[in-house]
Structure formats: C-alpha cells, structure tokens
Amino acid sequence: MSGLYARESRSVSRMAHLRFFPQAVVGGNGAYLTGDDGRQLLDFAASWGAASLGHSHPAVRDAVHRALSDQAGASYLSSANEPCVLLAEKLLTLVPEQARGRVWFGHSGSDANETVARVVVAATGRPRILAFNGAYHGGTVGSMAVSGHPAQQGGRAAGLTLVPYPNSYAVGSPEAAKDAALADLEKLFATEVPPEEVAAFFIEPIQSDGGMLVPPDRYFKAVEMLCRKHGILLVSDEVKVGLGRSGRFNAFEYSGIEPDIVVFGKGLGGGLPISAVVGPEAIMNHAAAFSLQTVHGNPVCAAAALAVLQTIERDHLVANAERTGTVLRKALDRLAARHPLIGDVRGQGLALGVELVTDRDTRQPATRQAALTVYRAFQLGLVLYYVGVNSNVLEFTPPLTLTETQARDGAAILDQALTDVAAGRVDDDILADFAGW
Ligand SMILES: *Cc1c(COP(=O)(O)O)cnc(C)c1O
C-alpha cells in the first residue's frame, strides 16, 4: 500500500469511500492515471464516467482557465452569466421536443434528481413516484428517496413505488423479461398504485449501478405509452450512460422514446461538478427559489461543460463510443468463450458490463470473484469497478476518447486477471479492507 493511501486513512473520512483496491493517484492523461508509485494505469472506470474526455483534456483546461481569468461571479442564483446561458441553449437542442423548455443547473446527479423528485410532485399535485428496483438516482436524502439500490443506507419516499427492471439474463430471454415487467406494471396500476396519482416515472435507459442492464426491445416504448395514457411524466436519468457514452447522444434513443425530463450529470463537467435538468417550462418554472445551492450555475463549471459538449461534437465522440465500444465488446465476448466465470456480456457503446457467475446454468452470482478480479486487474494495471445488486458485474465506463488499441490492451489485462482468479492465485485476504458495495 502506498504512502498517500495510508496517510489519507488518517485524515479523510471514509463516509464517501467506495473502495475496491488501494489506489492513490497523483496525475493523469487521457485514458491513463498515474499512481503515486509511478505506475501508469489504464482507466476503464473514468471515475464512474465523470472523466468523460479522459484526464487533463486541453479543451476543459482551456475553458476553465478562460472562465477563471475574467470570472463572472461564482453563482447563477442572483445574476445571469454567459457560460450558463450558452450551456442551457446548447442542452435545449439535445433533448426531444417536449423537454425543450428550461434548464436547471446543479452540482451532481443527486441534487438534480432530488430537484426533479420535488418539483414533479409540487407542479402536478400528484403524490406518487415510480422508479426501479436496483435504480441509483443519487446519494442525498431526496435522491436516495426515489432510488432502489440495495447498497444504499437511507430511507425511501412515502410516495415511492419500486418496480422490477426487466433483466433479460436472469429471466432467460428479453421477450420474457419484457412481458413480465410490463405485466407487473399493469397489475400495479390496476391495484395499489392508481396511475392518476403518479407524478413521474424515473428510468435509467441502461440500469448501470443495478448491473448494467440493457432493457429489452420495445420495453420502454410500452412504458412510454402507459405514461402518456395516464399523464405521467417520463424522466430519463442519463447521468451515467448519457452524453454519448452509449453510442447515441442520449441513451434513451435506443428505445425510441421521448422523455419529458432529461437529467445529465457525471461526464457533463468532464471532471468538474455540474448537473443539468432539462424539461417543459410548466414544470421547470414551477416556482423561483425552489431548489438552489449557492454556487449552482457557477460560470467555471458551466464553461467546462460547454467545452465537453463542443468536444463531443467536434471529435465525433458519440461515433467513437459506438466504434470503440464494439471493439471492446467483441474482445469481452472472446473472453466469455474462454472464461467460465463470465455469464453474460452486455451494454451499449462504452457502457458495458460483464456479469460473473459461479455456474452458468444456475447463474449464481460470483460476488467474491468479481471483487478479486477488479483487485487483480488493478495490480496488473487496469482500473475498473464492479456494480450490480449482487455486486458481481464488472463495469466498463472508460473515457469517450478511448482508442481501439486501449480497448484491446484493457481486455488483455482483464484476461490475465480472470485467469489468475480462476486459478486461485489471488488471495481472498486482500479483500478485507475493500468491501466495495
Ligand atoms: C451516479 C449517478 C447519479 C448520482 O450522481 P452523483 O454525481 O453521484 O450525485 C444519479 N443517477 C445515475 C444513473 C448515476 O449513475
């Protein structure tokens, strides 16, 4: 364990820690991080997708430098600033017609989803919200309240109802998963949850922290029709898989749906904290002074976000995510053919997941092996984490700038890590301090 890591444990609280191995970094460039031991680590996590353009991207650095060289205040609460206006104007062009109203800016996916959860109830007068089992919409009280991830240590909202996310792998086929999930929803509307009391349905177009679950074809189209029928607002949480990561600009595009409200975060700031909610004017202008934190809409983070969006467009990073994602996906499929631990490979673009199982027939979660694999990969030079309600899904959310060579290099390291874990060469004891989630 490095000196920096040990020092951190004596000064920094562990309440925000979600650690998988003793990593301490002192720098980074592109898809690589520099460890405090001098090692170069290929980063397939990108800080949970937040480092959307990789590390030290010149476009973000230059935008931040300019914004701080003639600083237009530090907030949009009590004054307009140009980076926020430009960013809002840009975001309005990137969402479906009915969401093209107004933009709210926050710091994180959590404050954004919390704001949506509050405003949809306040603006519609409907008390209920729907979300999915396994959904992660944030770590603040109000965003946790509309989430369904079992690792969270917080309460749920009184008006929240959680419904199953269709899991094609667990159920055995996409068609069966879709039919079961829809039947569940319709039964709920006919019994415990009167649809006219539901303000909004929060969806993840790919359920990432729940296990990188890709919805079956036509599932969300059917959900959208139910929402339209009952006047329920459809909220797409694009925080992790949006902004090009899926190989489409918005991940919901794969489902052919048009959500009413779109939530952006993580990669939006390219490493700086900023989130955005885009939705209809009637909702987004519900009331002034309704949801605010002092440095919301600060021009520095807004300028960084604008640079991120411009770079995604200029460098064709949506197409790169699709192309490089296909290369990575194929490399992972080849690993699945040789490693019995791999039960399923899934995802879209550069939002990929590999589910590890101890037995392909029973699909028993290989939770311990997932923890050992990410630890071993770290030792071998690759950073990735695991997700899933059973903590057995390796998650791939590398920078959108990833090259095909880097995709293959990372897969080769993972190949070795899986080999070492399967051969029992990685000692269980190393996991003692790294519970993950
Ligand atoms: C990470 C995440 C959030 C919360 O974002 P924070 O920046 O951690 O507050 C919300 N929704 C999804 C889908 C996420 O992946």
Side-chain angles (χ1 to χ4, degrees):
M1 193 180 296
S2 71
L4 185 57
Y5 200 85
R7 259 174 61 208
E8 189 212 38
S9 70
R10 294 191 289 272
S11 54
V12 178
S13 157
R14 66 193 195 109
M15 280 196 285
H17 284 186
L18 186 51
R19 297 288 166 89
F20 303 88
F21 31 74
Q23 185 184 9
V25 292
V26 294
N29 205 302
Y32 287 88
L33 288 167
T34 310
D36 76 334
D37 52 4
R39 288 199 305 149
Q40 291 292 306
L41 299 153
L42 182 53
D43 189 4
F44 272 17
S47 299
W48 297 99
S52 47
L53 304 185
H55 307 286
S56 307
H57 197 286
V60 177
R61 187 190 55 218
D62 293 350
V64 167
H65 183 81
R66 270 197 309 277
L68 276 174
S69 301
D70 190 9
Q71 196 181 347
S75 164
Y76 81 146
L77 305 192
S78 305
S79 59
N81 70 70
E82 191 175 40
C84 269
V85 174
L86 290 171
L87 180 59
E89 289 168 352
K90 181 70 192 170
L91 285 169
L92 287 169
T93 68
L94 297 169
V95 299
E97 184 76 41
Q98 73 260 32
R100 238 169 257 170
R102 297 289 186 275
V103 183
W104 173 95
F105 292 114
H107 292 319
S108 65
S110 302
D111 64 10
N113 282 315
E114 178 164 328
T115 296
V116 175
R118 288 177 54 222
V119 78
V120 293
V121 170
T124 65
R126 296 178 172 203
R128 293 177 183 271
I129 284 176
L130 290 177
F132 288 105
N133 280 316
Y136 189 91
H137 295 300
T140 57
V141 171
S143 57
M144 239 190 285
V146 295
S147 296
H149 200 286
Q152 291 178 310
Q153 304 167 44
R156 307 295 183 209
L160 178 72
T161 302
L162 294 173
V163 300
Y165 198 98
N167 184 333
S168 304
Y169 178 62
V171 172
S173 86
E175 198 64 20
K178 171 176 78 82
D179 292 347
L182 286 174
D184 221 90
L185 196 56
E186 289 182 27
K187 181 164 157 247
L188 206 64
F189 282 158
T191 55
E192 303 147 53
V193 180
E196 66 279 6
E197 293 180 9
V198 179
F201 194 164
F202 279 72
I203 70 161
E204 286 176 83
I206 300 172
Q207 192 182 71
S208 40
D209 290 331
M212 209 51 108
L213 301 177
V214 178
D217 279 354
R218 298 188 311 283
Y219 169 72
F220 275 129
K221 197 70 202 163
V223 167
E224 179 185 52
M225 278 169 61
L226 281 171
C227 286
R228 297 275 173 265
K229 181 173 157 198
H230 298 296
I232 298 168
L233 294 162
L234 190 57
V235 181
S236 188
D237 181 347
E238 298 275 326
V239 170
K240 196 192 278 182
V241 298
L243 300 172
R245 173 164 300 288
S246 73
R248 299 286 181 276
F249 184 82
N250 295 298
F252 61 73
E253 291 167 34
Y254 280 103
S255 294
I257 57 170
E258 302 203 333
D260 302 285
I261 297 174
V262 186
V263 184
F264 298 109
K266 287 201 169 85
L268 181 60
L272 275 80
I274 182 166
S275 58
V277 178
V278 192
E281 204 232 321
I283 305 290
M284 301 303 294
N285 274 346
H286 170 65
F290 180 83
S291 178
L292 54 98
Q293 293 176 46
T294 307
V295 286
H296 272 175
N298 76 76
V300 180
C301 293
L306 200 56
V308 166
L309 294 178
Q310 284 164 349
T311 304
I312 288 173
E313 218 166 80
R314 188 198 62 201
D315 294 350
H316 310 290
L317 295 183
V318 184
N320 188 65
E322 184 171 35
R323 194 174 49 244
T324 314
T326 302
V327 170
L328 181 54
R329 170 69 184 260
K330 285 188 178 150
L332 296 174
D333 283 335
R334 283 195 295 275
L335 295 188
R338 289 191 289 104
H339 293 280
L341 261 178
I342 298 181
D344 193 30
V345 177
R346 56 185 176 246
Q348 280 155 338
L350 287 174
L352 296 169
V354 169
E355 180 159 351
L356 301 188
V357 293
T358 55
D359 179 328
R360 282 186 176 172
D361 294 325
T362 61
R363 306 185 186 101
Q364 281 302 311
T367 303
R368 187 179 55 86
Q369 290 86 343
L372 290 172
T373 301
V374 300
Y375 197 109
R376 183 66 183 142
F378 163 69
Q379 290 179 319
L380 296 170
L382 175 70
V383 175
L384 83 162
Y385 311 137
Y386 60 81
V387 294
V389 296
N390 296 307
S391 307
N392 68 324
V393 180
L394 309 178
E395 185 183 72
F396 301 77
T397 55
L400 304 180
T401 51
L402 195 78
T403 66
E404 296 184 11
T405 305
Q406 289 164 346
R408 288 194 196 92
D409 288 351
I413 296 176
L414 179 62
D415 188 8
Q416 185 63 50
L418 286 164
T419 301
D420 291 349
V421 169
R425 283 197 285 268
V426 192
D427 192 342
D428 278 8
D429 292 349
I430 57 170
L431 297 181
D433 294 325
F434 303 97
W437 61 337

